């Protein structure tokens, strides 16, 4: 096992009894803070028949109502704000494409806590103050750039605030400044790796680790990125509604992401009934922030499907681990009555030797769902022979049907013909008018 380093060992390796005490005290404090300072929270709790004095500790969390993305839209922009604007120093916002954007507010206290969470993630990936942290997440309203930038500063690393795009410049700075830790979306990391390999520049890059999040990615995609960039790739998880990246992060053991339980309480619920599920069962992830001043979230339904584990981790960290999200209960595609997650399709493609560059087109023809998948061929597999392409398409159709249980029409397309993403990849085009 690798030698472990910690950013805040007294927190990251705290006894479970201490963590539970922090969470109980934080929950009581946050519920009272939200009730007293947000009319929206007060009304929601009153309608649910619960008062702050009913919450005496962690064991009472089930009494509280859930908060959904719809609540955030209804309360837009200031309904959930629990501090005067004069005490807020920043906003961040989601990049959602429907409805009102979610705006999150931060006091300086909130930003300091967020930066600490991201610093923990960088150290868990092997980062120190001697590293050069290359941040290629988007800056601006998107939380990715701001979060890892702040964490890198807290750690004392040299920070390159590259943002996304300008791939030639990204590679030039990697070479000239000796970037050692790359932070970006996995789809952009894959694109950077592909470009570096094509240009024969692997020996000029000093990267040792990457911290990738903001979109779903498979273990197969992880291995592909690690091979091309010659790094160890770490997962990071977060939501703008909670703070941004750094809610949880992988250690070197990579058996799930450690949640920052001094900042958040995590639950797994049955997405249909809201029932809290026992440790180890798959369900929807729900978060309560217990240390936020401006924009606390109480039992926020993330729609991410995953599993929590309290099993001891050999890295020494004691905070609960969450599995890589297995999809989203709201982004999940239901095709002909079958639940389909893009990550499942990605696994089949990479297992069969194809790149993670693909696009799903869902439509409804004569009241029946159709699924078309455009898949980029690698240069090694590319062929102008129609018969060979048709044969490969049939092989993928069979592999996908065996894995998913439904028929999908596969179209193998030329290398680089699907637009590359320099931010979040657009994987799905759903042409059905379902609402």
């Amino acid at each position: 096992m690798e030698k472990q380093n910690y950013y805040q060992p007294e927190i990251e390796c705290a006894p479970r009894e201490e963590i539970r005490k922090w969470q109980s005290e934080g929950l009581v404090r946050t519920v009272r803070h939200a009730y007293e300072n947000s009319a929206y929270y007060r009304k929601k709790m009153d309608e649910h028949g619960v008062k702050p004095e009913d919450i005496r500790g962690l064991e009472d969390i089930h009494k509280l109502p859930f908060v959904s993305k719809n609540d955030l839209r209804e309360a837009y922009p200031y309904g959930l704000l629990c501090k005067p604007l004069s005490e807020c120093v920043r906003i961040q916002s989601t990049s959602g494409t429907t409805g009102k954007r979610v705006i999150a507010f931060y006091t300086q206290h909130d930003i300091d806590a967020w930066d600490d969470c991201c610093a923990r993630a960088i150290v868990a990936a092997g980062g120190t103050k001697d590293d050069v942290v290359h941040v290629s997440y988007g800056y601006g309203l998107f939380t990715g750039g701001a979060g890892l930038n702040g964490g890198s500063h807290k750690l004392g690393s040299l920070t390159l605030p590259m943002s996304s795009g300008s791939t030639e410049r990204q590679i030039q700075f990697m070479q000239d400044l000796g970037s050692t830790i790359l932070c970006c979306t996995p789809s952009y990391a894959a694109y950077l790796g592909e470009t570096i390999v094509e240009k024969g520049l692997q020996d000029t890059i000093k990267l040792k680790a990457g911290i990738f999040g903001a979109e779903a990615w498979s273990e197969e995609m992880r291995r592909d990125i690690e091979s091309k960039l010659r790094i160890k790739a770490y997962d990071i998880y977060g939501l703008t509604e909670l703070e941004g990246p750094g809610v949880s992060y992988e250690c070197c053991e990579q058996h799930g992401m450690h949640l920052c339980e001094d900042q958040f309480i995590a639950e797994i619920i049955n997405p249909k009934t809201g029932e809290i599920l026992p440790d180890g069962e798959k369900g929807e992830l729900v978060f309560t922030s217990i240390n936020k001043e401006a924009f606390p979230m109480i039992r926020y339904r993330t729609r991410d499907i995953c599993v929590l584990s309290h099993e001891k981790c050999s890295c020494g960290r004691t905070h609960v681990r969450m599995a890589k999200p297995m999809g989203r209960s709201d982004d999940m595609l239901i095709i002909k009555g079958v639940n389909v997650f893009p990550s499942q399709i990605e696994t089949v493609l990479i297992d069969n030797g194809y790149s993670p560059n693909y696009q799903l087109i869902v439509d409804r023809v004569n009241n029946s769902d159709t699924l078309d998948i455009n898949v980029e061929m690698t240069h090694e597999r590319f062929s102008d022979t129609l018969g060979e392409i048709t044969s490969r398409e049939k092989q993928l159709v069979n592999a996908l049907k065996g894995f998913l249980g439904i028929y999908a029409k596969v179209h193998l397309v030329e290398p680089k013909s699907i637009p590359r993403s320099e931010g979040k990849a657009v994987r799905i085009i759903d042409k059905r008018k379902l609402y």
Side-chain angles (χ1 to χ4, degrees):
M1 188 184 78
E2 296 178 16
K3 179 181 180 296
Q4 289 301 322
N5 292 304
Y6 312 102
Y7 174 68
Q8 295 170 310
E10 71 286 357
I11 296 174
E12 296 169 63
C13 304
R16 288 301 309 171
E17 316 84 72
E18 186 75 8
I19 293 171
R20 189 174 178 87
K21 181 181 176 217
W22 293 339
Q23 291 189 325
S24 284
E25 292 172 352
L27 178 64
V28 171
R29 182 175 61 247
T30 296
V31 168
R32 183 165 296 281
H33 175 57
Y35 189 87
E36 291 176 351
N37 293 287
S38 163
Y40 192 93
Y41 266 125
R42 187 160 54 252
K43 180 173 181 288
K44 193 171 184 67
M45 288 175 62
D46 285 346
E47 289 174 349
H48 201 71
V50 62
K51 299 287 186 185
E53 51 267 29
D54 297 325
I55 308 302
R56 297 180 295 274
L58 198 54
E59 66 280 2
D60 295 320
I61 195 168
H62 69 278
K63 298 176 183 178
L64 293 162
F66 293 111
V67 171
S68 68
K69 185 157 281 192
N70 188 56
D71 286 307
L72 272 63
R73 290 183 180 127
E74 281 187 7
Y76 177 92
Y78 296 126
L80 294 174
L81 183 63
C82 292
K83 280 287 186 179
L85 281 178
S86 60
E87 294 186 38
C88 297
V89 297
R90 191 196 298 171
I91 69 156
Q92 303 284 163
S93 179
T94 62
S95 54
T97 56
T98 59
K100 292 175 181 172
R101 297 175 69 92
V102 171
I103 291 180
F105 297 83
Y106 302 76
T107 64
Q108 188 58 52
H109 166 273
D110 297 335
I111 288 175
D112 289 340
W114 180 19
D115 289 348
D116 283 339
C117 291
C118 288
R120 293 178 200 174
I122 295 171
V123 173
T128 71
K129 65 182 181 61
D130 297 319
D131 278 292
V132 178
V133 179
H134 190 111
V135 184
S136 297
Y137 285 110
Y139 280 68
L141 291 173
F142 179 55
T143 56
L148 273 301
N149 193 96
S152 179
H153 279 193
K154 267 290 183 78
L155 182 57
S157 306
L158 178 63
T159 309
L160 307 188
M162 301 300 299
S163 195
S164 58
S166 304
T167 299
E168 296 293 331
R169 185 179 63 194
Q170 301 268 4
I171 295 172
Q172 180 190 338
F173 272 63
M174 282 182 190
Q175 293 172 306
D176 295 348
L177 295 173
S179 304
T180 54
I181 298 178
L182 173 65
C183 306
C184 63
T185 61
S187 59
Y188 192 49
Y191 180 47
L192 283 167
E194 182 180 80
T195 305
I196 287 167
V197 169
E198 284 181 1
K199 291 180 179 293
L201 299 175
Q202 283 177 299
D203 290 338
T204 71
I205 303 297
K206 296 181 179 178
L207 292 175
K208 66 178 186 181
I211 300 173
F212 308 129
E215 62 186 14
W217 55 308
S218 63
E219 287 302 309
E220 292 79 9
M221 189 172 183
R222 187 206 297 265
R223 289 193 290 270
D224 182 64
I225 291 170
E226 288 181 331
S227 172
K228 286 186 170 67
L229 290 176
R230 298 177 179 174
I231 61 172
K232 188 163 183 175
Y234 293 81
D235 211 344
I236 191 170
Y237 174 88
L239 298 156
T240 299
E241 295 90 329
L242 294 173
E243 63 176 17
V247 172
S248 67
Y249 56 88
E250 279 187 323
C251 65
C252 70
E253 298 305 307
Q254 297 188 315
H255 295 309
M257 291 175 277
H258 289 279
L259 280 156
C260 292
E261 289 192 279
D262 57 314
Q263 303 292 329
F264 307 100
I265 297 167
E267 304 170 81
I268 294 290
I269 65 165
N270 181 317
K272 292 182 179 177
T273 66
E275 171 197 4
I276 299 174
L277 298 177
D279 203 41
E281 287 203 21
K282 182 171 72 173
E284 182 183 340
L285 187 58
V286 172
F287 277 112
T288 298
S289 59
I290 55 173
N291 196 29
K292 287 191 73 176
E293 294 181 337
F295 198 70
M297 283 287 101
I298 297 175
R299 301 199 85 194
Y300 179 69
R301 295 187 60 162
T302 68
R303 300 296 178 182
D304 283 326
I305 303 297
C306 79
V307 174
L308 296 180
S309 171
H310 284 88
E311 288 184 8
K312 186 176 181 181
C313 183
S314 56
C315 80
R317 291 174 179 84
T318 52
H319 293 220
V320 67
R321 284 170 290 163
M322 59 175 277
K324 183 188 286 288
M326 301 161 187
R328 288 177 58 83
S329 60
D330 54 354
D331 288 349
M332 177 182 69
L333 293 166
I334 302 177
I335 302 172
K336 296 183 178 178
V338 177
N339 296 343
V340 176
F341 293 106
S343 58
Q344 295 174 311
I345 293 170
E346 182 177 293
T347 294
V348 173
L349 297 182
I350 294 179
D351 280 349
N352 282 272
Y354 294 90
S355 77
N357 296 307
Y358 63 94
Q359 201 161 53
L360 314 180
I361 298 112
V362 189
D363 207 345
R364 184 160 286 174
V365 180
N366 297 325
N367 296 317
S368 180
D369 291 338
T370 63
L371 174 59
D372 286 69
I373 307 176
N374 293 330
V375 181
E376 250 186 34
M377 287 180 279
T378 61
H379 285 286
E380 294 77 18
R381 286 178 174 264
F382 180 59
S383 170
D384 291 325
T385 304
L386 183 60
E388 289 181 358
I389 294 174
T390 302
S391 175
R392 289 175 187 161
E393 286 174 342
K394 286 180 180 177
Q395 288 172 0
L396 266 184
V397 166
N398 291 332
L400 286 162
K401 188 170 184 180
F403 194 78
L404 301 175
I406 61 170
Y407 171 79
K409 191 170 184 179
V410 173
H411 309 272
L412 291 178
V413 298
E414 294 181 15
K416 292 187 175 292
S417 60
I418 295 175
R420 294 298 193 274
S421 169
E422 294 183 334
K424 287 193 180 185
V426 179
R427 300 291 194 203
I428 303 168
I429 299 172
D430 196 338
K431 297 180 177 180
R432 299 173 296 178
K433 293 179 172 60
L434 301 178
Y435 302 101

